[in-house]
Amino acid sequence: VKVPSQVIVLCILGFFLYPCCQLFHSHEALLVVERGLGSPAEAGMASSAYTLSGIVAGVIVAPLMKVFKKHAPASTFVCALLGLVVYAMAQSVMMLCLAGFLIGLAYQTFTPFGGMGAANFSNAMGMAFNMALCNASMSLGQALSPFTTSVLGSLVGGSMTGMIWIGVVGMAVVTVAGFVYF
């Protein structure tokens, strides 16, 4: 099966996007406690905002593709980048909910873009393999997130906020790479 270069790029970008988005799930409740934003109930509200974004993502994927065309995957990176910046600066539960919504929206919209992109760039014979490869690379990035973020976060003191800012920098690189490539 031939793996087109576009599929490889989608795999790489998804591999780096997913850990950045995973920062929200990994650290959101701890950030609520660290910044004195409330209790588990407030952390649950922010987590719910992340989950609710999946409903919106399901509705906007097709319009995003029509509006942004080949830049549709990169538009999700901008959304994740904005969400991570809001997350890093969150001083209220509302900001945390907004961050969760934006990060979740990016995650939930890139997932179908990755699969559809892999299908669109593949020959009929390799379509299923390339879609699976794309999904596997994104899942691997997400699974490795606790290790990568703690190692990179230790370089900036190991604080949760430091790890989130590492995610912001990583997401900025992915965003630029996405716009340059697409």
Side-chain angles (χ1 to χ4, degrees):
V1 170
K2 182 178 187 289
V3 180
S5 62
Q6 297 94 332
V7 172
I8 293 170
V9 170
L10 283 171
C11 289
I12 292 168
L13 293 175
F15 178 84
F16 288 106
L17 169 71
Y18 273 38
C20 291
C21 292
Q22 186 63 29
L23 278 167
F24 186 79
H25 282 298
S26 300
H27 298 91
E28 176 254 336
L30 298 171
L31 197 70
V32 167
V33 172
E34 181 182 273
R35 295 189 181 167
L37 301 177
S39 65
E42 283 76 16
M45 289 169 50
S47 185
S48 294
Y50 181 100
T51 303
L52 287 173
S53 68
I55 296 168
V56 175
V59 173
I60 67 167
V61 166
L64 274 178
M65 290 184 76
K66 287 179 184 170
V67 170
F68 291 105
K69 297 181 180 17
K70 66 180 182 173
H71 291 290
S75 70
T76 65
F77 305 150
V78 172
C79 187
L81 179 59
L82 291 173
L84 285 166
V85 168
V86 171
Y87 183 39
M89 299 182 346
Q91 295 300 317
S92 70
V93 174
M94 284 306 293
M95 284 182 75
L96 204 56
C97 288
L98 176 62
F101 185 84
L102 291 171
I103 294 166
L105 190 64
Y107 176 90
Q108 299 294 342
T109 53
F110 185 79
T111 301
F113 288 155
M116 286 187 289
N120 290 338
F121 295 127
S122 300
N123 294 329
M125 189 63 144
M127 191 179 300
F129 176 82
N130 289 331
M131 289 172 67
L133 183 65
C134 194
N135 285 331
S137 69
M138 294 184 291
S139 295
L140 180 62
Q142 186 172 9
L144 293 175
S145 176
F147 304 107
T148 56
T149 55
S150 32
V151 167
L152 293 173
S154 68
L155 300 175
V156 292
S159 73
M160 282 176 279
T161 301
M163 285 188 250
I164 296 166
W165 281 113
I166 290 286
V168 168
V169 170
M171 202 63 244
V173 170
V174 170
T175 301
V176 169
F179 274 107
V180 167
Y181 183 79
F182 292 110

